[in-house]
Amino acid sequence: MSRTIAIYNFKGGVGKTSTTLNLALSWSRSFKVLVIDCDPQANLTHTLTDNVEHEINLFTILKDVIHNRQHAIKPLELSGYLHIIPGHVKMAELESNSEFISFGNTIIYKLLAQVNRQYDFIILDCPTHFGKIVKFSLANVKSILIPAIPDSYSTTGFRQLLHYLKEVEREISLNVLGVFFNLFRKNTRHHQMIRLQAEKELGDVLLSHNVRQGIKVSEANWGHRSIYSFEEENEVANDFMRLSEEVLGRLDSVYLDQIINNTTLQK
């Protein structure tokens, strides 16, 4: 049975896709990993496949499930240990599809049920908009990892995100793997202050490892590449490697109801 993880924050520009990409590549060195590109922008698909037009993609798969067309789901193989269900721009259409609105929870459940015994990890790259795709995805995963950037929004936004997460109908509490900072500049006093404030307010929910800002990140994003694709060793790749190890150690850590009961975060 796989570990299902959603990478999500309703704030844009925090690095959800790069997090999904680099964690998947890190874990696929030892585990079998499936990534599902739920974002209509399909940036993850473009990066991993250099293409956004795949005949079989998440939209076509979900449409088959909606219309009870039974087909074995065959993700695209990127390597022996890393597969992807590509995204597609038409995923945006599902937000107004009456059948998906009514039965999307069950539809996402059926999708994951078909593949969850084939992988050690299934990682969902979620779109920013807190719509039906995100709600139904979060209703069917075991865990959530929340990327953030070190700005004044970080802790206040996290409280608001908790409010939204409470709206997701789930049978069991959502395992919050943690919040971590992307694009972190450790030599910048402002970022250090934001980090200290987050430590006070988020406590153990804040992960120990940050992913620093660096030119390699911009180059990777611009060129639709992984941070691991550079021949020379780089600090950001090392950050993601350390982050991936920390997340592995928190697979059964803090649950949403425990966090909500934390009075510091309720203020």
Side-chain angles (χ1 to χ4, degrees), residues 91-114:
M91 283 294 296
E93 296 179 9
L94 293 179
E95 295 290 347
S96 58
N97 181 288
S98 60
E99 291 177 279
F100 188 75
I101 291 172
S102 299
F103 306 108
N105 200 334
T106 300
I107 291 165
I108 297 294
Y109 172 82
K110 288 181 178 180
L111 164 66
L112 294 176
Q114 284 198 49

Side-chain angles (χ1 to χ4, degrees), residues 174-209:
L174 185 65
N175 179 24
V176 180
L177 296 173
V179 180
F180 77 94
F181 285 130
N182 246 327
L183 303 177
F184 189 82
R185 299 194 299 272
K186 65 178 181 179
N187 295 324
T188 302
R189 183 179 179 184
H190 178 64
H191 283 198
Q192 292 175 347
M193 291 174 61
I194 293 291
R195 171 83 201 187
L196 288 173
Q197 179 187 2
E199 288 174 354
K200 292 178 182 178
E201 298 206 27
L202 303 183
D204 291 340
V205 179
L206 183 67
L207 297 180
S208 300
H209 292 98

Side-chain angles (χ1 to χ4, degrees), residues 29-56:
R29 299 179 183 188
S30 303
F31 303 99
K32 194 168 184 181
V33 179
L34 171 68
V35 291
I36 302 178
D37 191 352
C38 303
D39 193 334
Q41 295 184 69
N43 288 329
L44 180 66
T45 300
H46 189 185
T47 301
L48 284 172
T49 71
D50 199 30
N51 184 12
V52 291
E53 291 295 335
H54 295 272
E55 183 178 353
I56 299 175

Side-chain angles (χ1 to χ4, degrees), residues 65-78:
V65 176
I66 288 173
H67 295 293
N68 292 315
R69 294 192 288 264
Q70 300 299 319
H71 301 294
I73 297 175
K74 296 181 179 179
L76 180 64
E77 182 174 332
L78 304 170

